Amino acid sequence: CFTGTWFLYAEETYNGYNVGSSNYWAYGDNYCEDVPAPFDNKASSVRYTGAPDDWKYNTINIYFNDYFIGDEEFTYNDATQFNYDNMAASIVVTGCQPWTVYQYNNYQGRGMCLFPSDTSKCTPGLYPTRSSLGSLAGDVSSARKGCYAKEKVYPVNHMAELKKGKSEGIGASGFFTSH
């Protein structure tokens, strides 16, 4: 059962040493379901994404590999520069607000708005690959809450239907097979 946004990885250290391994994701409020059969008894590491005290709080979570694999950097607040420059290969946007990511420090250069899945339900937006990040893939240096750019990119799960799990909870899930 899941409350919040979770990633389960087939390998230790969030698949960091084997970026081609599979992973499974789920989010919701007390959302319960079985993992897909190919992932049954495979999880070796698990990661919570977003604010630990409120899964619908506004955060941006940047991962250094596709499919939310390996190291990450996240923030609750505007960031004039990231600790790890130009490392965005996949991103999760939590909360109700979009974020604008920028090519350079101090909100300079090309900008792009990234959205949660649903701004009224405040469900997380998943950008699992470099190609889902458009023109700024691997080229993000700063970010701030709100949409301040003309270019708007929506997540792969944009406006995804929430489903009822095996409990009273609702949520959504997905599976990335070996890449």
Side-chain angles (χ1 to χ4, degrees):
C1 294
F2 301 92
T3 294
T5 305
W6 293 88
F7 292 100
L8 285 71
Y9 301 87
E11 303 292 332
E12 295 175 1
T13 62
Y14 319 121
N15 290 356
Y17 297 109
N18 188 357
V19 297
S21 293
S22 58
N23 61 327
Y24 166 83
W25 58 267
Y27 60 81
D29 278 316
N30 195 34
Y31 176 64
C32 302
E33 74 167 15
D34 294 332
V35 298
F39 201 70
D40 190 30
N41 291 308
K42 299 283 191 230
S44 293
S45 55
V46 61
R47 170 171 25 217
Y48 183 85
T49 296
D53 52 343
D54 184 354
W55 75 282
K56 293 186 176 188
Y57 192 80
N58 297 307
T59 68
I60 187 166
N61 307 266
I62 296 172
Y63 301 90
F64 302 172
N65 293 287
D66 286 345
Y67 303 105
F68 320 109
I69 289 173
D71 292 331
E72 75 171 318
E73 183 168 357
F74 67 92
T75 186
Y76 300 90
N77 303 307
D78 296 352
T80 58
Q81 67 182 43
F82 286 117
N83 294 323
Y84 301 94
D85 194 27
N86 298 326
M87 295 299 292
S90 52
I91 292 178
V92 176
V93 173
T94 67
C96 299
Q97 291 184 314
W99 285 76
T100 305
V101 293
Y102 295 89
Q103 179 182 17
Y104 301 127
N105 292 346
N106 300 309
Y107 321 123
Q108 300 297 309
R110 287 190 328 272
M112 172 190 317
C113 298
L114 302 177
F115 291 82
S117 172
D118 187 317
T119 55
S120 61
K121 294 178 183 171
C122 306
T123 50
L126 306 177
Y127 300 82
T129 61
R130 286 171 176 82
S131 62
S132 68
L133 293 174
S135 65
L136 285 178
D139 200 17
V140 173
S141 298
S142 59
R144 62 181 170 159
K145 277 187 248 182
C147 182
Y148 303 99
K150 288 181 183 177
E151 185 177 1
K152 295 171 177 56
V153 177
Y154 294 92
V156 297
N157 64 326
H158 182 63
M159 301 298 287
E161 284 294 317
L162 296 177
K163 52 190 175 183
K164 188 172 168 87
K166 292 183 172 186
S167 65
E168 293 300 313
I170 58 169
S173 65
F175 178 58
F176 299 117
T177 59
S178 299
H179 341 285

